[in-house]
Amino acid sequence: MSHHFTPTDISSIDLYKILISTVMPRPIAWVSSISKEGVDNLAPFSFFTVASVKPPMLCFAPALKSVDGKPTEKDTLRNIRETGEFVVNIVSRNLVEKMNQTSFEYAPNESEFDAVGLTRAPSSLVKPKRVAESLVNYECKLFQIIDFGKDVQSGSLIVGEIVMVHLDERIFKNGKVDMAELHPVGRLGGLWYCGISDRFELKRPAQK
């Protein structure tokens, strides 16, 4: 027997738990940005995907958080609104602990790079720094922000145009990305993550 309900029939917290436990695995955008005061910020987001190839676009969606019971923008969203630039760093298995720690609510004047011991790498075309330990970095210029609401847990879709791609030589071989060497991780429901150890290949279908 199946369960049927509209999103308004349950609380937003319960709906959130269902969504993150069924829409998965989700890739992780480890987004570095910079405040107008010059503080480097780094935070992970699992509402993330490719939006377009021509032009090349990535998108992710941070949600409004609650501060003293009031909906408040996360540092990443505020920084991108103010500066129009960000970097998406891809998370490999060896980086999950530090990635997870950057989700902690540090003060806006404290950089996650310093808090968790990550190395800043200069970007080529944008001001936010890259995570040097990450094997893939996408420098992005803001294309559009779509705000879906003003309540806590309301999301804002950030779409950025890729202006520079950095691929570590350890993973980019003969024009292809070595998935086993990159070993990206994905987000599941609750506190769970996944790797790519269980993967399989399917050929494109032909007409029968």
Side-chain angles (χ1 to χ4, degrees), residues 40-52:
D40 297 314
N41 179 266
L42 183 63
F45 299 90
S46 68
F47 290 10
F48 161 58
T49 193
V50 177
S52 172

Side-chain angles (χ1 to χ4, degrees), residues 93-135:
R93 179 64 182 85
N94 66 310
L95 294 172
V96 290
E97 286 79 12
K98 290 192 174 183
M99 175 275 296
N100 184 48
Q101 187 60 39
T102 61
S103 67
F104 182 78
E105 292 288 339
Y106 291 98
N109 62 350
E110 184 175 4
S111 173
E112 287 80 3
F113 279 91
D114 299 324
V116 305
L118 289 163
T119 308
R120 294 172 174 83
S123 296
S124 300
L125 299 177
V126 300
K127 290 183 179 179
K129 302 296 191 297
R130 297 181 292 122
V131 175
E133 290 82 358
S134 175
L135 300 175

Side-chain angles (χ1 to χ4, degrees), residues 4-178:
H4 305 274
F5 54 84
T6 67
T8 56
D9 290 333
I10 60 175
S11 70
S12 60
I13 292 293
D14 288 337
L15 179 59
Y16 170 77
K17 291 178 180 178
I18 291 171
L19 286 169
I20 66 170
S21 298
T22 56
V23 183
M24 60 178 186
R26 300 183 305 281
I28 300 169
W30 205 9
V31 180
S32 47
S33 61
I34 189 169
S35 70
K36 62 180 180 181
E37 292 81 18
V39 179
D40 297 314
N41 179 266
L42 183 63
F45 299 90
S46 68
F47 290 10
F48 161 58
T49 193
V50 177
S52 172
V53 176
K54 191 174 183 179
M57 300 283 186
L58 296 178
C59 64
F60 70 101
L64 295 178
K65 62 182 180 180
S66 177
V67 176
D68 297 328
K70 298 179 180 179
T72 305
E73 290 187 350
K74 294 182 178 179
D75 295 339
T76 300
L77 176 56
R78 184 179 63 254
N79 290 347
I80 294 173
R81 283 195 199 278
E82 294 175 346
T83 68
E85 298 179 339
F86 61 95
V87 178
V88 172
N89 306 278
I90 300 302
V91 182
S92 295
R93 179 64 182 85
N94 66 310
L95 294 172
V96 290
E97 286 79 12
K98 290 192 174 183
M99 175 275 296
N100 184 48
Q101 187 60 39
T102 61
S103 67
F104 182 78
E105 292 288 339
Y106 291 98
N109 62 350
E110 184 175 4
S111 173
E112 287 80 3
F113 279 91
D114 299 324
V116 305
L118 289 163
T119 308
R120 294 172 174 83
S123 296
S124 300
L125 299 177
V126 300
K127 290 183 179 179
K129 302 296 191 297
R130 297 181 292 122
V131 175
E133 290 82 358
S134 175
L135 300 175
V136 181
N137 319 99
Y138 293 103
E139 298 182 26
C140 298
K141 295 273 191 178
L142 177 62
F143 177 77
Q144 187 177 10
I145 297 177
I146 303 174
D147 298 313
F148 297 114
K150 297 182 179 180
D151 299 322
V152 173
Q153 292 192 310
S154 293
S156 294
L157 183 65
I158 299 175
V159 183
E161 181 172 3
I162 301 169
V163 294
M164 182 65 71
V165 180
H166 300 265
L167 300 176
D168 191 281
E169 62 182 7
R170 287 171 287 176
I171 66 155
F172 196 59
K173 305 169 183 177
N174 301 317
K176 294 183 179 180
V177 173
D178 185 333

